[in-house]
Amino acid sequence: MLTNAPLIAPPPLAPGQILAIAAPAGPVSPERLRLGLTHLNAFRLAMRPDIERKAGYLAGDDQLRIDEFNAYLRDPDVRAIMMARGGYGLMRILPHLDEAAFRADPKPIIGFSDGTALHAWVMACGYQAIHGPVVTQLGGLDAASVNRLLQVMTTPEAAPPIALQEAQADASGIVVGGNLSLLCHLMGTPWQVAMAERLVFLEDVGEAPYRIDRMLTQLSLAGALHACYGLVAGDFTRCGDNASDDDGRAANALLRAAAAAAATPFACGLPVGHGQRNQAFYVGARGEIRVDKRQLAFVTG
């Protein structure tokens, strides 16, 4: 479980260094993979030739995915690891990832969605991770999200501020969170994400309002939200009362109510998630919600 110890930012990736592309969760669409890779030509890419493999709803059996990821963690020439896609399956391999190798040679781990579990593993090791696009998402994103990812991956400085739609109050703390479903499923495991005294952001896709309500209620009953410094809503894509509802109003209303019940400030409009925008930043970094500028800013130290 994440403690109050400061989290360390791994060394950034430099152009020309090796970026490994891993498939530790769901199977990868070949067309979307190829389109996404065109945005990563500033780096040398390491990728298994069978990355498009499929075993039902997984990108290969557990041992294959464990071996693939651990090989990149152990390879000193690999300077960052990016998820090819999310999906399902990362929680299955968490106990088998090589913590010693990562601690000895930390490197940026990039992804989101099911990658929330991977980020929880990284933070439990004491390091920050990049919440940002997976490769198969890159081809469908706006240019601002692609450019920001490349900037965050390659600079040691704090990520630029991100605009919010609404913010109720100034707040600051270490930024944690990610996919609501994964955060709930991590409860009670060694990688449960501590939310007390932190800024918590949430996003999800394809969840009906009653399921979002149920997950927020679980976090509330577990006491996870009651001491957090702020609750920030990202994109809740296709999470309305019908499958085509992408505006997030239903989810925002539920998160707003959860924040009020926890007596913590609420903010919304963080451009992260499964839509056409997904702006990268380091989870585990220190952030500030600034009402006057209506933004989430990131600070060093």
Side-chain angles (χ1 to χ4, degrees):
M1 184 182 298
L2 181 61
T3 69
N4 282 319
L7 297 178
I8 303 167
L13 179 68
Q17 289 186 323
I18 294 178
L19 169 66
I21 309 299
V28 179
S29 161
E31 181 179 350
R32 294 179 66 184
L33 178 70
R34 285 191 288 271
L35 187 59
L37 291 175
T38 63
H39 295 285
L40 301 173
N41 53 20
F43 313 107
R44 291 185 290 153
L45 301 179
M47 188 169 56
R48 285 178 59 115
D50 64 348
I51 195 169
E52 298 169 5
R53 61 195 181 259
K54 182 177 181 181
Y57 46 77
L58 299 171
D61 64 35
D62 288 355
Q63 193 59 55
L64 187 155
R65 290 178 292 114
I66 292 164
D67 292 343
E68 175 189 52
F69 209 87
N70 280 339
Y72 295 143
L73 290 174
R74 295 164 182 163
D75 188 339
D77 292 327
V78 170
R79 301 319 312 149
I81 306 172
M82 186 172 183
M83 291 176 59
R85 69 154 289 184
Y88 168 74
L90 251 168
M91 288 182 63
R92 294 168 59 122
I93 70 173
L94 290 184
H96 308 287
L97 299 182
D98 193 337
E99 291 186 16
F102 178 74
R103 292 176 193 271
D105 183 21
K107 53 195 76 174
I109 308 293
I110 306 148
F112 84 114
S113 191
D114 213 51
T116 297
L118 187 56
H119 292 168
W121 179 86
V122 170
M123 290 190 292
C125 292
Y127 286 85
Q128 300 174 21
I130 296 178
H131 186 279
V134 295
V135 179
T136 54
Q137 187 192 31
L138 280 175
L141 290 179
D142 59 13
S145 295
V146 175
N147 293 335
R148 182 183 175 93
L149 171 66
L150 299 176
Q151 180 181 8
V152 170
M153 288 169 60
T154 58
T155 179
E157 301 174 356
I162 301 180
L164 298 169
Q165 178 182 326
E166 175 191 341
Q168 289 180 339
D170 290 340
S172 65
I174 293 174
V175 179
V176 300
N179 183 264
L180 174 58
S181 301
L182 266 293
L183 291 167
C184 286
H185 290 311
L186 287 166
M187 298 290 289
T189 75
W191 303 280
Q192 176 177 329
V193 176
M195 300 180 187
E197 300 180 358
R198 277 151 175 71
L199 297 179
V200 179
F201 74 97
L202 302 172
E203 63 83 26
D204 219 316
V205 60
E207 297 289 354
Y210 77 89
R211 292 199 295 267
I212 296 171
D213 188 347
R214 181 167 57 199
M215 288 185 281
L216 291 172
T217 300
Q218 179 185 358
L219 293 181
S220 177
L221 292 174
L225 300 179
H226 289 293
C228 71
Y229 287 161
L231 187 61
V232 184
D235 287 342
F236 280 76
T237 306
R238 301 192 305 280
C239 288
D241 291 317
N242 59 73
S244 64
D245 184 0
D246 276 354
D247 63 16
R249 284 179 294 178
N252 282 350
L254 290 165
L255 267 69
R256 187 189 303 274
T264 192
F266 172 74
C268 65
L270 186 70
V272 300
H274 289 75
Q276 295 179 332
R277 57 182 194 170
N278 194 7
Q279 297 199 13
F281 58 87
Y282 274 94
V283 290
R286 184 165 298 279
E288 297 179 348
I289 296 175
R290 298 173 178 170
V291 172
D292 60 340
K293 296 183 178 180
R294 210 158 60 187
Q295 64 181 204
L296 173 63
F298 299 91
V299 295
T300 56

